[in-house]
């Protein structure tokens, strides 16, 4: 299955995902880690270890500062 991953404010990627791939795997595929971004499905955050069940997600980079 193909999944469109929109990195908010940046780029959009089309990722080929296999059965059992997780949202954490999707972040890795776009070059981000679970510490620097979160995946949103229907504008709701999803756990990184949850299997991918949709064909479109939004990825939100987390803001860091001090």
């Amino acid at each position: 299955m193909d999944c469109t991953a929109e990195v908010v404010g940046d780029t959009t990627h089309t990722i080929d995902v296999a059965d059992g791939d997780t949202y954490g795997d999707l972040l890795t595929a776009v070059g981000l880690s679970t510490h620097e971004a979160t995946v949103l499905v229907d504008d709701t955050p999803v756990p990184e270890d949850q299997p991918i069940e949709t064909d479109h997600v939004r990825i939100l980079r987390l803001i860091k500062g001090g």
Side-chain angles (χ1 to χ4, degrees):
M1 164 178 78
D2 284 340
C3 182
T4 303
E6 173 194 352
V7 181
V8 177
D10 197 1
T11 58
T12 300
H13 305 267
T14 300
I15 309 296
D16 182 33
V17 296
D19 288 341
D21 281 355
T22 65
Y23 292 108
D25 296 327
L26 189 67
L27 286 174
T28 300
V30 298
L32 297 169
S33 77
T34 57
H35 298 290
E36 60 187 328
T38 190
V39 179
L40 305 173
V41 175
D42 296 327
D43 293 325
T44 302
V46 292
E48 65 191 56
D49 59 351
Q50 180 175 329
I52 299 169
E53 299 175 346
T54 186
D55 62 355
H56 184 268
V57 300
R58 295 177 73 211
I59 297 174
L60 184 63
R61 288 180 181 239
L62 304 175
I63 298 172
K64 61 181 179 180

